[in-house]
Structures are given as structure tokens and as C-alpha cells.
Amino acid sequence: MTLYDLVFRGVLARLDPERAHGLAVAAIRAIPRLGLTRLVRRATRPDPSLAVDALGLRFDSPFGMAAGFDKDARSIRGLYALGFDHIEIGTVTAIPQEGNPRPRLFRLIADRAVVNRMGFNNRGAAQAAERLRRERSRTRRPVIGANLGKSRVVDVEDALEDYRTSARLLAPVADYLAVNVSSPNTPGLRGLQDRDRLEPLLRCVLAEAGSTPVLVKIAPDLDDAAIDELAHLAVQVGLAGVIATNTTIERTGLRSNPELVAAAEEGGLSGAPLAARSLAVLRRVRAAVPAEFCVVSVGGVDTAEDVAERLDAGATLVQGYTAFLYRGPLWARSITRGLARLRRPVPADQASST
């Protein structure tokens, strides 16, 4: 048991999950405020052999932080210091919003999972754009993506203009944009995955994005035919990639107390229970798109072996989030160190003796 395990079980697990998240964010933001970014980054910097070229960008490693942790682009430098080599901020909406009523974040510790129904709480695309503009000016920084969602007060029928506003503000200051049409926590949002609605939406964001790469994030709850159709559509309209997957509305096979699961009610489940489905969707998407097409895998990633499995299954990049809550601040470092070991060539004399 690590020191973080003791802190988590003795302190953090006893706190309201959203309050614990706020404390973690404050600690991460303190790293650059105390002038410790370069020092901490020296201890977490990945092996150069892990560098990846994708989306016309250079990633120090394939592992990054998924959308949802840093909703307002306030923790980018701290997360980079801790070893995350790309950070997807958001989900950001054109109109600032408070999100859903609390409680809206629930731990399922027995499953190493989380249920959230945050509802895209954020301070809006304009504020996020100002923060990204400052981050883009730094010499040493991670790749920064911006995850775009629909404002809650905007009807689904008016979603195009809502996404257009966010894309116009964020495309000039983000390294890539991710169109989120797959969160279960905004009414009507998943309906935008229907081709008749999704195609004009993607074309609208592409028009605003200019040279900034655009990806679409899809749900794990789609059937195989729908996954194939969305993957083909992404290629057809000229997207740079697909992010697979968002959280799930499934609750089967959980080990947590049923009363605890019921108390979480509706919301998106993330963490270990999503791993098998996320991997299956990754393989489905990869089989449907060209080899050079970027596929980002997210959902249930916990260890370096998990990341290696996603890469072997065809992922270009891999993102994590929920396991960060259970593994602690050295999680990204352990992933990239372990991945470097797994990817290190076996010496000829050892290979011949096995």
C-alpha cells in the first residue's frame, strides 16, 4: 500500500467527491504557482522513445488527461508537470453554466469507478480561450485539446450555432478540437450522434476550425452498426480522428453495493468497468478507418499494460482520468515509465534464450 493509498482511504474517500476533486485541483495548480513546474517535470518526463507524431503535432508520449478533469483550463501546467503529455480541457460550452444540482459526482470504490452527472459545469468558451492563449505562449507545454459541448439552455435544433461559437473562440488557441456529442448528462446531446444531425454539425465546426484538427468523441453504448457509420462519417467529412469513448449509462456487472449504485442514479459511469467495452469500440473504430487516421482510446485505463494493450489494438493516443483519483499524483509517471519498459527491445541474447 502506497502513501497515497493511505491518504485516499483515510481522508479523501471520506470527503464529498466533488470537494475532494477541488482539493486535488488546488494542489495541482499550486505546482506552477510555487515555481515547481520544471523541477517536477524533470521527475516525470517520459522516455524520448515514447514520442508520437499525430494530428500534425508532436506528443512527448501517447498518454494524456481526458476531458472532464480540467474543465476551465486552470490546471494545464500542473498536469503537465505530473507527466500528462496532452491535456484535453472541458467540456467547454459557448454559454457559461453551473451544471447539474449537487450531489453530482459519486465514487464506486469497489469497482474503481465513478459516476458523474456534472452537466458541463464551466465558465464558458470565452474565458477558456483567454487561458489557452496564455498557455500557448509558453515554450514548454503539453499538447492542448479543447472539448466542445452544447450549452444546456440551447435547444438541440439550435446546436450548430452554439458549437460554432465555441469553435470560433477556441480553434485559434487550441492544438485540436474535440466535438462532444456523447455525454449522457445534457438532455438531447446523444441524439446529435444521429448521422442526419451529426454531419452538418461536424461540417460547421470544421469550417470554423480552419487548420486546427477536429475529432469527434463517441459513446460506448452505440451498437456496432452505429459505430461503423460514425467512423465512416468522420473520415468522409474530413475529421482528423475519433475519440472512443465517453462514459457509459450501463450498470451491469458492478460489485459495489446496489444501494450505493442506485443513489448515484443517472449519469455517466467511468473507470475499470468501462475497460472491456472501450477496448472493443477502439478495435471496431480502428477497423473502419484508414491506418493513418487518429484514434484516441479512453475508458478504463489504469496501468501501463492497459495503455500498451490500447496501442497494440490500434490507438494512436490514450487518455485516462478516473484512475488518477485512485492512483494519485504519480499515476502518469508510472504509466509512461512502465510503457517505456514494455516497449524496450529485448536484447538478442535474451530473445534467443527464451
Side-chain angles (χ1 to χ4, degrees):
M1 183 176 293
T2 67
L3 176 61
Y4 180 78
D5 291 328
L6 294 173
V7 172
F8 178 81
R9 295 186 184 192
V11 180
L12 297 178
R14 300 171 185 268
L15 296 177
D16 169 77
E18 194 164 347
R19 175 168 169 71
H21 177 79
L23 292 174
V25 168
I28 290 167
R29 292 179 65 197
I31 295 172
R33 287 179 174 176
L34 295 172
L36 298 175
T37 302
R38 290 190 181 184
L39 179 64
V40 176
R41 179 67 184 178
R42 275 196 216 109
T44 64
R45 186 184 298 121
D47 189 286
S49 67
L50 296 180
V52 174
D53 292 312
L55 305 174
L57 304 163
R58 183 74 165 178
F59 295 75
D60 288 347
S61 87
F63 188 63
M65 173 60 78
F69 186 91
D70 189 7
K71 296 180 181 296
D72 289 307
R74 301 167 70 193
S75 305
I76 292 171
R77 279 185 291 162
L79 289 170
Y80 176 62
L82 290 176
F84 293 95
D85 295 300
H86 71 276
I87 293 145
E88 192 169 306
I89 68 144
T91 296
V92 177
T93 55
I95 301 171
Q97 56 189 41
E98 293 297 321
N100 292 323
R102 302 188 187 200
R104 55 193 182 180
L105 187 63
F106 306 86
R107 301 185 199 91
L108 302 181
I109 295 176
D111 293 289
R112 296 183 69 80
V114 166
V115 173
N116 94 81
R117 53 170 181 270
M118 301 298 288
F120 294 168
N121 54 307
N122 75 105
R123 299 183 184 183
Q127 280 201 32
E130 284 302 313
R131 290 197 179 95
L132 292 194
R133 189 168 287 109
R134 291 194 294 270
E135 294 299 330
R136 282 280 291 244
S137 67
R138 301 185 189 280
T139 304
R140 294 188 177 117
R141 65 172 182 85
V143 171
I144 304 169
N147 187 289
L148 313 182
K150 184 186 77 66
S151 302
R152 190 181 186 91
V153 297
V154 173
D155 292 337
V156 172
E157 291 72 20
D158 300 319
L160 252 66
E161 289 306 312
D162 191 60
Y163 279 91
R164 188 194 306 275
T165 298
S166 295
R168 184 182 300 128
L169 288 165
L170 288 162
V173 291
D175 293 310
Y176 71 86
L177 301 179
V179 179
N180 186 349
V181 288
S182 49
S183 170
N185 300 319
T186 295
L189 186 75
R190 285 191 168 193
L192 291 173
Q193 291 177 117
D194 295 340
R195 184 185 180 108
D196 290 346
R197 286 181 167 173
L198 184 58
E199 182 171 351
L201 173 59
L202 295 177
R203 292 189 185 280
C204 169
V205 173
L206 280 166
E208 291 296 333
S211 61
T212 303
V214 178
L215 299 86
V216 63
K217 188 167 187 175
I218 66 174
D221 306 309
L222 298 169
D223 62 29
D224 288 348
I227 292 168
D228 291 346
E229 183 175 31
L230 288 188
H232 293 148
L233 176 62
V235 175
Q236 177 188 330
V237 302
L239 294 192
V242 169
I243 302 174
T245 62
N246 213 316
T247 57
T248 181
I249 57 175
E250 274 291 324
R251 298 291 191 270
T252 56
L254 298 180
R255 294 178 293 176
S256 295
N257 186 314
E259 292 183 2
L260 181 61
V261 176
E265 299 175 354
E266 297 179 353
L269 175 73
S270 62
L274 183 55
R277 181 57 185 163
S278 177
L279 180 59
V281 176
L282 162 65
R283 288 177 170 146
R284 191 88 196 180
V285 171
R286 174 46 74 197
V289 300
E292 67 276 9
F293 198 72
C294 181
V295 182
V296 183
S297 183
V298 54
V301 173
D302 192 335
T303 66
E305 288 76 13
D306 293 335
V307 175
E309 184 178 32
R310 302 301 173 94
L311 296 173
D312 291 341
T316 315
L317 302 167
V318 181
Q319 296 176 344
Y321 172 3
T322 301
F324 190 36
L325 311 181
Y326 292 103
R327 293 284 186 180
L330 296 180
W331 180 49
R333 177 180 180 270
S334 72
I335 291 282
T336 54
R337 293 283 175 93
L339 192 59
R341 287 193 298 271
L342 292 169
R343 289 296 195 244
R344 190 171 296 135
V346 178
D349 58 339
Q350 292 184 24
S352 60
S353 66
T354 58

